[in-house]
Amino acid sequence: MQNWLLPEYIEDILPVEAGAIESLRARLLECFRVHGYALVHPPLVEYIESLATGTGRDMDLQTFKLIDRLSGRTMGLRADISPQVARIDAHALNRQGVARLCYAGRVVHTTPEGLGRTRELFQIGAELFGHAGIESDLEIQRLLLTGLDLAGVSSVHIDLGHVAIFRALVRLGEFAPALEGELFDALQAKDIPTLESLTSSLQRPLRDALLALPTLYGDRQVLERARSLLPQAPEIARALDELDALSGALASSSCAVCIDLAELRGYHYHSGAVFSAYANDWRKTLARGGRYDEIGKAFGRARPATGFSIDLRELAGLMAKSHAGMIEQAVLAPHDPDPELARSIAELRAAGTVVVIDLPGHQASRGELGCDRMLVKRDGAWQLENLTNS
């Protein structure tokens, strides 16, 4: 076996991409900091009971498991950082008021989420604990938009959904867990034929409501259609009111907003409004988030919570596509003991310019070194000159 081969959907992050990811990480964390979000670093592994708490079967299946040789207990390699941050809020910090936390780190999945996706993601996000009102949902969504704008993402659009609507329909129908799961899968896939088959024996109002969910997608006018098509249950009315308020508030931002009442990502994890962010020129999801008030109960301390996470590798990929050919090149400097050269190099580096020393006997091309300029001595002074050859 070739010992340099990596597992499927696991890959090295090479210099250009690694540099883009690190640059984005630093800018986004600074953005979160000035908005009042304090940085935390949860561990890479935890006992599986903690990692899987409140996240549902999907996250459990995505978690690599191993045995702790010290305790004999099963541990997990984290597949999502948000539950860890909820644990920190509930126990390590134990604050009574609002807590704003952010994080950045790697997570690993047992299977890729889609074609062309890696199993090792670089996740960055922000979470707000201790406030149950729509104001905190809006703060989190605006923070996401601010971060994406800072990263240079243009033409962002947000898909808004609300898991309480489907939950209300499940409660009204008193569905068995197996049927609930099948309906959930059909709605996520917007599989109308399967949905029709699954609902064929249900009473007409409930059946019509479930069949309507995949069609309730579009601008805010969708909410008026939803009010006429869905049962007049308090939970559904409240959810539609929240979506109306959120979409109206976001309308003043520079993003487009779509309502999708069949959007149930994180259904077993989230409890209220959920959202996904996309860029018009990028087919993959850039960020996901929503309200997850119930996860704190599993840690023994119920706390309302809302937040989002971004896959930095996806974001870096979009930036590479948008800024192709715009990568800053380095300066090549000769290997020379001249103190004036050392001062020139130090000044360039202090200003953020990459300077590479051309070591004696080094045969790599200047293009391979990533240099487009060179320090040369003219008339007793070191000057920058453009490189025209490789």
Side-chain angles (χ1 to χ4, degrees), residues 11-29:
E11 56 203 7
D12 294 312
I13 301 178
L14 300 180
V16 172
E17 184 184 6
I21 290 172
E22 178 59 23
S23 174
L24 286 170
R25 184 199 66 82
R27 279 185 282 165
L28 288 173
L29 286 181

Side-chain angles (χ1 to χ4, degrees), residues 110-126:
T110 56
T111 58
E113 291 187 337
L115 292 173
R117 302 295 288 263
T118 179
R119 289 193 287 168
E120 184 182 22
L121 295 79
F122 204 126
Q123 192 179 68
I124 188 169

Side-chain angles (χ1 to χ4, degrees), residues 220 223-224 227 239-249 259:
R220 290 177 70 189
L223 298 172
E224 292 307 312
R227 295 184 199 279
L240 294 175
D241 288 344
E242 289 181 2
L243 290 175
D244 190 34
L246 288 170
S247 58
I259 306 295

Side-chain angles (χ1 to χ4, degrees), residues 127-271:
E127 316 289 334
L128 192 155
F129 301 92
H131 188 274
I134 196 173
E135 298 85 358
S136 51
D137 292 283
L138 187 58
E139 176 179 322
I140 279 291
Q141 290 167 17
R142 283 175 169 163
L143 178 63
L144 169 62
L145 292 174
T146 300
L148 292 177
D149 181 65
L150 181 68
V153 181
S154 59
S155 304
V156 176
H157 73 266
I158 300 287
D159 277 4
L160 280 175
H162 206 298
V163 300
I165 295 173
F166 179 61
R167 287 188 176 185
L169 295 176
V170 169
R171 180 185 60 78
L172 290 171
E174 298 180 343
F175 300 147
L179 177 57
E180 178 184 355
E182 290 176 320
L183 288 169
F184 167 80
D185 291 339
L187 284 169
Q188 278 295 90
K190 291 185 169 57
D191 185 348
I192 304 299
T194 298
L195 200 57
E196 289 176 340
S197 174
L198 291 171
T199 58
S200 60
S201 62
L202 301 179
Q203 294 183 354
R204 187 61 180 268
L206 192 56
R207 181 173 190 266
D208 289 347
L210 287 166
L211 290 174
L213 287 183
T215 71
L216 294 172
Y217 177 84
D219 59 24
R220 290 177 70 189
Q221 295 179 359
V222 163
L223 298 172
E224 292 307 312
R225 288 183 53 224
R227 295 184 199 279
S228 65
L229 294 173
L230 301 179
Q232 302 300 307
E235 305 100 305
I236 294 177
R238 185 164 51 250
L240 294 175
D241 288 344
E242 289 181 2
L243 290 175
D244 190 34
L246 288 170
S247 58
L250 290 175
S252 60
S253 305
S254 58
C255 72
V257 180
C258 291
I259 306 295
D260 185 357
L261 297 192
E263 173 54 67
L264 297 172
R265 292 184 192 274
Y267 169 67
H268 301 291
Y269 175 83
H270 290 291
S271 60

Side-chain angles (χ1 to χ4, degrees), residues 11-59:
E11 56 203 7
D12 294 312
I13 301 178
L14 300 180
V16 172
E17 184 184 6
I21 290 172
E22 178 59 23
S23 174
L24 286 170
R25 184 199 66 82
R27 279 185 282 165
L28 288 173
L29 286 181
E30 178 61 13
C31 172
F32 300 161
R33 186 188 71 82
V34 299
H35 282 79
Y37 289 75
L39 180 65
V40 293
H41 285 302
L44 188 62
V45 294
E46 288 195 42
Y47 292 127
I48 194 65
E49 295 87 354
S50 177
L51 285 178
T53 294
T55 60
R57 181 170 178 271
D58 292 343
M59 193 55 63

